[in-house]
Amino acid sequence: MRRLLWGVASAANQIEGAYDADGKGLSTADALPGAKDRQKYIFNPQEMIDTTFDYYPSYKGVDFYHRYKEDIALYAELGITCYRMSIAWSRIFPNGDELTPNEDGLRFYDKIFDECLKFGIEPVVTLSHFEVPLHLVKQYNGWADKRLITFFERYCRVVFERYCDKVKYWLTFNEVNSVTKLHYHSGATIPEQNANLEELGYQLLHNQAVAASKANKLCHEICPKAMIGCMVQYSPVYPYSSHPEDVLEANNFERDRELFALDLFVKGKYPFYSQRLFKEKNIQLEITEEELALLEESPADFISFSYYMSLSYGRKEIVAEQTNGNIFSGLKNPHLQSTEWGWQIDPVGLRYALNRLYELYQVPLFVVENGIGVTEELLNGTVEDDYRIAYLSQHIEQLIEAVSDGVDVMGYCMWAGTDLISNSTGEMKKRYGLIYVDADDNGGGTYNRFRKQSFYWYQSFINDYLERKK
Ligand code: BG6
């Protein structure tokens, strides 16, 4: 049985700040405003790009760019063995379509990886975490244009060659299944008026699947010892009741939103149900034979996924309370509690998710995000976050059950090490960290770091685990 990696996770645009330092270009994330307007503009990207806002949360992040030594020293004290992070593509290629990379940007990640490795922490690196150089939106309309595949491939070649000795685990696109819905956020695309949005979503997914296959192939050529995985948002979808049509609806929802992408990225082919789906939704994609061959030839080595909740789903006519989710929403499950932001808490769902994905795909699985967002206050230099300790311990317990079930699990990264900018709301007050950051929703505060009580819990858990595995 493998020794699991235990870590924390983050994304460049949610922590780094320094949005224009050392030659960095603007990214899609840098156009997103803060809490008040964020949700509205995620779905109105043209209006967003044409508007100037008072405050952009990613400009400052939590100042990781300047405080990375302090943060990684805290992670070393925590005892983690891996750190999931992402590279901001726009630090390496500020516009995205240049031929030569920005050396200062490359040097920044050299320093990060060296600092991690100094403490025995393996970097797990996402190549694109909800972040694309903004110029590629304006000039090409993002992933709707297949030229992005070439630009992405060039970026991948540069970072694989540069960091081959430092990085053993790569992930292609964060929560790639979200692109069917989040055209701008995940796909850097502004839909044309009257566009068939479903068709656009599947075309973006296809283009990213081709790009990921090229990245997988390149990674194996340049870094033969590394592994490269896909990354999806996965929530098990339970039928709202045992009514046969609820079961069918839940199954269709899971297929459509989650498994469809996994089939492309892991099996390297379109699922058997895609023909009917496309026909019914009047979807015609631009796909070449060469691309289909590439998908099959170079699939992902493993599946990584975020797990925050389960969803429940059923017949359209069911009248029930809705619940929120990070991407997809569902019907309220009466057996589960929810977070302040309405995400249903379901530790057993993680064991189920691991078993289900392993049964379907038979490749190693890596849980690269799991955590709870809470409004918190610092009191006497700490936060008494017993709810986070409960959340983490219950989820990890179920993950260990899944390992005992026989699932091949590579590791677990909780979201997040330090508090960071919330992706969906742009808030700081939705806090996920083991480490409190003194910053507010408007960029105020000292940005100093404080260990929460969950920091000590996770530290002792990892220490015990590693002792047992000696
Ligand atoms: C995932 C994303 O959807 O969920 C992260 O990959 C994100 O970037 C995390 O931060 C938690 O969601 P949120 O919206 O509460 O920050």
Side-chain angles (χ1 to χ4, degrees):
M1 209 181 279
R2 24 165 129 237
R3 196 164 97 151
L4 272 70
L5 291 166
W6 296 99
V8 293
S10 68
N13 74 82
Q14 293 171 262
I15 58 165
E16 286 178 3
Y19 75 104
D20 62 352
D22 301 323
K24 180 182 174 296
L26 286 177
S27 76
T28 44
D30 295 326
L32 291 170
K36 198 160 54 72
D37 300 314
R38 191 144 167 136
Q39 280 302 319
K40 169 181 158 205
Y41 284 111
I42 284 179
F43 294 102
N44 290 291
Q46 185 62 56
E47 207 185 320
M48 176 174 75
I49 284 177
D50 293 339
T51 308
T52 306
F53 300 95
D54 295 341
Y55 183 61
Y56 292 91
S58 66
Y59 279 24
K60 241 174 152 178
V62 289
D63 199 27
F64 178 80
Y65 197 78
H66 301 109
R67 296 177 187 242
Y68 71 88
K69 282 201 177 179
E70 182 187 351
D71 286 353
I72 296 172
L74 281 164
Y75 295 162
E77 183 187 325
L78 188 58
I80 55 173
T81 51
C82 72
Y83 173 36
R84 177 187 174 219
M85 48 164 288
S86 70
I87 296 179
W89 183 353
S90 58
R91 282 200 195 283
I92 312 301
F93 286 98
N95 282 331
D97 58 357
E98 302 92 333
L99 295 176
T100 43
N102 170 28
E103 179 56 31
D104 284 347
L106 287 166
R107 213 172 288 129
F108 172 65
Y109 294 105
D110 271 325
K111 290 191 284 186
I112 303 300
F113 299 145
D114 290 343
E115 200 65 18
C116 287
L117 295 170
K118 184 168 108 187
F119 296 113
I121 300 172
E122 291 289 350
V124 176
V125 180
T126 317
L127 289 154
S128 182
H129 190 129
F130 292 158
E131 188 160 25
V132 169
L134 196 58
H135 171 77
L136 298 182
V137 179
K138 296 184 173 165
Q139 194 67 31
Y140 304 90
N141 205 16
W143 283 100
D145 188 315
K146 293 200 184 200
R147 281 176 288 184
L148 268 269
I149 298 171
T150 311
F151 304 143
F152 185 72
E153 196 183 355
R154 190 177 300 144
Y155 157 62
C156 289
R157 179 181 289 284
V158 165
V159 295
F160 292 155
E161 284 176 349
R162 177 79 170 220
Y163 306 125
C164 197
D165 296 338
K166 302 181 182 181
V167 179
K168 289 194 203 138
Y169 304 97
W170 296 93
L171 313 179
T172 43
F173 298 96
N174 183 63
E175 295 186 333
V176 70
N177 51 324
S178 65
V179 80
T180 55
K181 183 173 169 199
L182 303 177
H183 305 122
Y184 173 82
H185 205 49
S186 262
T189 292
I190 299 178
E192 282 167 15
Q193 274 196 338
N194 305 322
N196 175 343
L197 292 179
E198 290 195 297
E199 180 175 271
L200 173 65
Y202 282 101
Q203 186 67 56
L204 297 175
L205 184 69
H206 174 81
N207 295 350
Q208 292 192 339
V210 175
S213 294
K214 292 203 173 203
N216 298 342
K217 195 167 173 207
L218 260 186
C219 181
H220 292 145
E221 280 164 21
I222 300 171
C223 320
K225 290 194 187 132
M227 289 175 83
I228 182 160
C230 63
M231 197 293 188
V232 293
Q233 182 268 337
Y234 184 73
S235 303
V237 187
Y238 305 146
Y240 187 68
S241 77
S242 54
H243 190 295
E245 283 177 24
D246 285 350
V247 177
L248 199 65
E249 287 294 338
N251 183 53
N252 288 344
F253 187 89
E254 185 201 32
R255 275 179 171 182
D256 201 12
R257 303 293 188 194
E258 303 177 324
L259 303 181
F260 192 106
L262 280 171
D263 275 33
L264 274 186
F265 282 72
V266 182
K267 292 184 178 165
K269 50 185 174 207
Y270 275 82
F272 66 90
Y273 49 86
S274 55
Q275 298 276 355
R276 177 169 183 177
L277 186 92
F278 286 167
K279 200 165 165 221
E280 286 179 358
K281 292 181 189 281
N282 191 22
I283 290 175
Q284 278 157 4
L285 300 186
E286 286 173 29
I287 301 179
T288 67
E289 288 303 319
E290 200 190 328
E291 288 169 347
L292 290 177
L294 183 73
L295 293 184
E296 212 159 339
E297 187 188 309
S298 301
D301 296 329
F302 63 95
I303 295 173
S304 71
F305 67 102
S306 60
Y307 178 80
Y308 289 95
M309 73 207 71
S310 57
L311 292 172
S312 108
Y313 209 70
R315 284 156 293 161
K316 306 273 177 295
E317 61 266 29
I318 291 175
V319 183
E321 203 184 319
Q322 291 277 325
T323 53
N324 294 330
N326 47 348
I327 298 170
F328 307 117
S329 51
L331 300 170
K332 180 141 185 56
N333 182 335
H335 306 288
L336 300 175
Q337 303 285 320
S338 299
T339 72
E340 278 173 70
W341 276 266
W343 296 15
Q344 298 185 135
I345 303 171
D346 183 5
V348 174
L350 177 57
R351 177 176 177 187
Y352 175 75
L354 285 160
N355 274 277
R356 176 143 179 84
L357 293 180
Y358 195 55
E359 189 171 318
L360 290 173
Y361 296 101
Q362 295 280 309
V363 294
L365 303 177
F366 201 154
V367 179
V368 292
E369 280 186 42
N370 172 240
I372 181 169
V374 181
T375 313
E376 295 174 319
E377 271 178 36
L378 191 67
L379 213 63
N380 302 323
T382 188
V383 178
E384 298 286 340
D385 54 346
D386 45 346
Y387 40 84
R388 182 168 290 104
I389 296 173
Y391 183 99
L392 290 179
S393 61
Q394 287 164 15
H395 281 80
I396 291 174
E397 194 181 315
Q398 293 299 321
L399 177 135
I400 289 170
E401 286 293 334
V403 172
S404 305
D405 292 335
V407 178
D408 184 2
V409 181
M410 295 168 68
Y412 171 93
C413 291
M414 68 93 48
W415 188 268
T418 62
D419 289 338
L420 34 63
I421 305 291
S422 157
N423 167 58
S424 56
T425 69
E427 294 165 325
M428 266 308 297
K429 78 162 195 245
K430 191 179 187 188
R431 295 179 179 276
Y432 279 94
L434 300 169
I435 299 160
Y436 184 93
V437 176
D438 173 33
D440 64 27
D441 286 348
N442 306 309
T446 61
Y447 285 71
N448 289 340
R449 277 60 171 152
F450 301 86
R451 296 165 192 80
K452 301 180 192 175
Q453 292 308 300
S454 54
F455 178 97
Y456 301 108
W457 179 85
Y458 198 38
Q459 181 185 52
S460 125
F461 166 79
I462 297 173
N463 185 49
D464 289 353
Y465 177 88
L466 295 179
E467 281 298 317
R468 280 201 308 277
K469 290 285 163 183
K470 263 187 186 161

